[in-house]
């Protein structure tokens, strides 16, 4: 161990609870002594334990897999639990992820937005119903490389960092974001999902979908799971342009759905 | 699914924006180099002019070729502007929201997009003036005539601004295009991106230098036109 004194960290936290009447957004500053291997998770718990018990922030796993501790760390979206203070300057500014509904202080309701996105993009395996009913049926074997590739994209934890780093969604709040496009790329890879490119075009073939992406790549650069977002969005864009420019799309083999189209 | 038959138009718009941008950017990459033939001397530039007027193919000068080429580029330019304007912030609120995001995030590729917005907007005007002039005065291109236009015609301030705008816009655009469509991803797309960003920076630097040198040469010729009265351009 070195003899040098541990750093004094100055933690500035943007605080505001929309549920408290009369509360105004303000910055609270805390001084914390840095410890070896310290993460922002430890810092925030230290603050709550020793300085201010009313500080609101979210944590579940503290291992970078639950996706609840996304926040702006010196302006950049990231996970508090996997950010070491040793990689940050003496002064650290923390703010809640923008765009999502604010619960209070650093706590945001990203789950609500994610659920809406998942429902909108139907991020589940679409398989013919009768086959799904047969629970005794043995699952088709899958090529390990393909399984690996699907798993790679399935590692998304829906933390919302890609949304907070997205310039497009700043100007178009209906944009599905990298998280949504990555999910479509994931189901498109999966042979168990029977949807065709024409079906995916229905979901992301517009300016709220893949054509809205302006390739600013904030998502790619902040994703805490290092998902191949740039590459997968480019891939979906190529597929969707191919589909859109294909004259047969109007005869698409779309899946039937319950919703009735208006009669003409 | 709320709609069974989504419009195909968004796919066309996205494709056409990229393709028109690609052709325009490649045109600029060539255009600035051809223009820089003046750095090899007035004779080299004169030969370049003759080449583009079809002299070496048809045995005579046909400036109409320049008019047609300029008209084609102008059409592409308008198409590209019409498609790209969809992305430009159109209200103060949108602009402010994006700027706040950009300033807070301090992320290079996000900031570069603002560069594209600003240069693109400037070129609505700068590019139109230049293209229209070239379209209607195709025979007034040459080492001395161009120099005269630059100096006496007061085109140099416009060319100076246009040079910076077009070089930045074209190279940032080419970089973004490659990432957008996944071109040259190679084995590791992250490494490719770093290489492409270096190429983008090198391209911007090289073309600004070449462009400034050419413009400087035209200005220098233009300022000394009176001292070379023997020159007769139209043979």
């Amino acid at each position: 161990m070195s003899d040098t004194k541990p750093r004094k960290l100055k933690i500035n936290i943007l605080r505001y609870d929309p549920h408290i009447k009369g509360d105004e957004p303000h910055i609270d500053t805390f001084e914390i002594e840095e410890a070896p291997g310290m993460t922002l998770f430890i810092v925030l718990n230290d603050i709550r334990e020793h300085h201010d018990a009313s500080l609101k922030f979210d944590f579940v796993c503290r291992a970078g897999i639950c996706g609840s501790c996304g926040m702006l760390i010196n302006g950049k979206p990231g996970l508090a639990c996997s950010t070491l203070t040793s990689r940050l300057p003496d002064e650290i500014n923390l703010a809640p992820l923008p765009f999502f509904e604010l619960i209070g202080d650093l706590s945001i309701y990203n789950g609500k937005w994610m659920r809406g996105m998942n429902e909108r993009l139907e991020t589940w395996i679409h398989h013919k119903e009768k086959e799904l009913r047969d629970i005794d049926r043995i699952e088709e074997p899958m090529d390990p490389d393909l399984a690996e590739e699907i798993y790679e994209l399935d590692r998304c934890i829906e933390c919302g960092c890609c949304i907070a780093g997205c310039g497009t969604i700043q100007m178009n709040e209906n944009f599905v974001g990298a998280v949504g496009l990555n999910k479509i790329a994931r189901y498109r890879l999966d042979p168990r999902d029977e949807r065709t490119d024409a079906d995916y075009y229905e979901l992301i073939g517009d300016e709220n979908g893949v054509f809205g992406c302006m390739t600013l790549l904030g998502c790619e650069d902040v994703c805490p799971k290092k998902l191949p977002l740039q590459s997968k969005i480019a891939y979906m864009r190529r597929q969707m342009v191919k589909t859109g420019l294909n004259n047969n799309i109007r005869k698409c083999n779309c899946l039937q759905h319950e919703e009735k189209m208006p009669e003409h | 699914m709320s709609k069974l038959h989504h419009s195909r138009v968004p796919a066309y718009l996205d494709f056409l924006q990229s393709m028109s941008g690609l052709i325009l950017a490649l045109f600029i990459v060539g255009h600035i180099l051809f223009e820089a033939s003046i750095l090899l001397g007035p004779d080299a530039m004169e030969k370049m002019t003759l080449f583009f007027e079809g002299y070496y193919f048809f045995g005579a000068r046909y400036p109409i070729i320049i008019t047609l080429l300029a008209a084609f580029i102008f059409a592409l330019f308008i198409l590209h502007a019409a498609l790209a304007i969809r992305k430009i912030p159109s209200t103060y609120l949108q602009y402010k929201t994006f700027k706040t995001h950009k300033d807070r995030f301090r992320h290079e590729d996000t900031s570069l997009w603002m560069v594209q917005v600003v240069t693109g907007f400037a070129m609505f005007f700068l590019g139109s003036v230049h293209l229209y002039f070239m379209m209607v005065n195709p025979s007034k291109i040459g080492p001395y005539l161009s120099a005269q236009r630059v100096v006496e015609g007061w085109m140099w301030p416009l060319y100076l601004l246009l040079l910076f705008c077009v070089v930045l816009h074209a190279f940032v655009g080419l970089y973004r295009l490659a990432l957008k469509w996944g071109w040259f991803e190679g084995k590791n797309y992250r490494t490719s991106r770093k290489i492409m960003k270096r190429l983008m920076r090198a391209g911007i630097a090289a073309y600004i230098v070449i462009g400034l040198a050419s413009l400087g040469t035209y200005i220098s010729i233009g300022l000394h036109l009176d001292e070379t009265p023997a020159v007769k351009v139209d043979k």
Side-chain angles (χ1 to χ4, degrees), chain A residues 3-256:
Chain A
D3 298 331
T4 51
K5 270 190 170 176
R7 281 199 301 169
K8 282 258 186 257
L9 299 175
K10 201 172 158 195
I11 316 285
N12 304 317
I13 302 179
L14 175 61
R15 302 194 59 180
Y16 173 57
D17 189 334
H19 305 98
I20 298 174
K21 238 186 176 176
D23 194 17
E24 294 274 347
H26 61 283
I27 306 278
D28 274 353
T29 302
F30 303 95
E31 283 217 347
I32 300 286
E33 196 168 279
E34 193 175 32
M38 194 179 226
T39 64
L40 287 177
F41 163 74
I42 298 170
V43 169
L44 288 168
N45 274 291
D46 193 306
I47 292 172
R48 187 149 67 182
E49 220 166 297
H50 300 113
H51 299 273
D52 188 341
S54 70
L55 180 66
K56 298 175 192 75
F57 58 88
D58 295 323
F59 280 98
V60 181
C61 76
R62 61 184 171 44
I65 44 173
C66 76
S68 46
C69 67
M71 57 186 66
L72 289 184
I73 305 159
N74 285 340
K76 291 197 195 303
L79 296 182
C81 71
S82 43
T83 303
L84 290 164
T85 54
S86 57
R87 296 198 175 163
L88 296 170
D90 294 349
E91 192 162 350
I92 301 167
N93 301 317
L94 300 179
L97 283 188
F99 188 75
F100 298 104
E101 185 182 322
L102 183 65
I103 294 173
D105 298 341
L106 299 173
S107 173
I108 46 144
Y109 200 172
N110 51 347
K112 185 179 177 182
W113 188 88
M114 291 293 169
R115 187 185 170 96
M117 178 275 297
N118 279 305
E119 285 176 354
R120 181 172 145 205
L121 296 184
E122 304 182 22
T123 57
W124 52 85
I125 297 275
H126 285 55
H127 208 282
K128 282 196 188 99
E129 220 180 319
K130 60 177 195 277
E131 285 170 76
L132 278 180
R133 258 185 223 138
D134 180 9
I135 56 166
D136 295 329
R137 195 176 58 90
I138 293 171
E139 205 178 326
E140 293 274 327
M142 190 188 282
D143 178 50
D145 289 341
L146 178 61
E148 188 72 26
E149 213 181 324
I150 294 172
Y151 173 70
E152 173 74 4
L153 306 186
D154 240 355
R155 293 187 304 114
C156 174
I157 55 174
E158 300 190 353
C159 60
C161 287
C162 60
I163 298 298
C166 178
T168 303
I169 212 160
Q170 295 286 325
M171 293 190 293
N172 173 14
E173 60 177 21
N174 294 318
F175 184 53
V176 295
V179 55
L181 297 172
N182 176 64
K183 274 168 193 282
I184 294 294
R186 176 250 176 270
Y187 284 97
R188 194 182 176 280
L189 277 176
D190 199 320
R192 292 166 297 185
D193 197 316
E194 291 175 342
R195 284 181 286 184
T196 62
D197 275 343
D199 297 316
Y200 295 127
Y201 189 89
E202 308 282 351
L203 298 168
I204 57 164
D206 61 13
E207 288 173 357
N208 293 330
V210 74
F211 302 133
C213 169
M214 303 193 295
T215 322
L216 310 186
L217 296 181
C219 57
E220 162 83 16
D221 295 334
V222 300
C223 178
K225 306 305 283 184
K226 297 271 170 276
L227 294 177
L229 299 173
Q230 174 201 324
S231 177
K232 289 303 159 191
I233 296 173
Y235 173 73
M236 285 317 301
R237 188 188 296 273
R238 294 197 299 272
Q239 299 310 320
M240 290 303 103
V241 158
K242 252 185 235 166
T243 309
L245 268 52
N246 178 353
N247 286 326
N248 293 325
I249 191 179
R250 283 183 192 283
K251 295 166 196 157
C252 71
N253 190 20
C254 303
L255 290 184
Q256 293 302 309

Side-chain angles (χ1 to χ4, degrees), chain A residues 74 76 122 201-202 206-207 211 215-216 220-221 226-228 231 237-238 244 247 249-250, chain B residues 1 3-8 14 86-87 105-107 109 176 179-181 185 189-190 193:
Chain A
N74 285 340
K76 291 197 195 303
E122 304 182 22
Y201 189 89
E202 308 282 351
D206 61 13
E207 288 173 357
F211 302 133
T215 322
L216 310 186
E220 162 83 16
D221 295 334
K226 297 271 170 276
L227 294 177
S231 177
R237 188 188 296 273
R238 294 197 299 272
N247 286 326
I249 191 179
R250 283 183 192 283
Chain B
M1 279 175 237
K3 289 177 197 165
L4 259 177
H5 296 289
H6 229 57
S7 168
R8 279 189 278 166
D14 199 54
R86 296 174 305 144
K87 310 283 182 181
F105 195 14
R106 283 168 291 139
H107 173 254
D109 284 14
R176 208 181 294 289
L179 304 178
K180 183 174 260 195
W181 295 94
E185 277 192 358
Y189 76 90
R190 290 189 171 115
R193 180 178 167 202

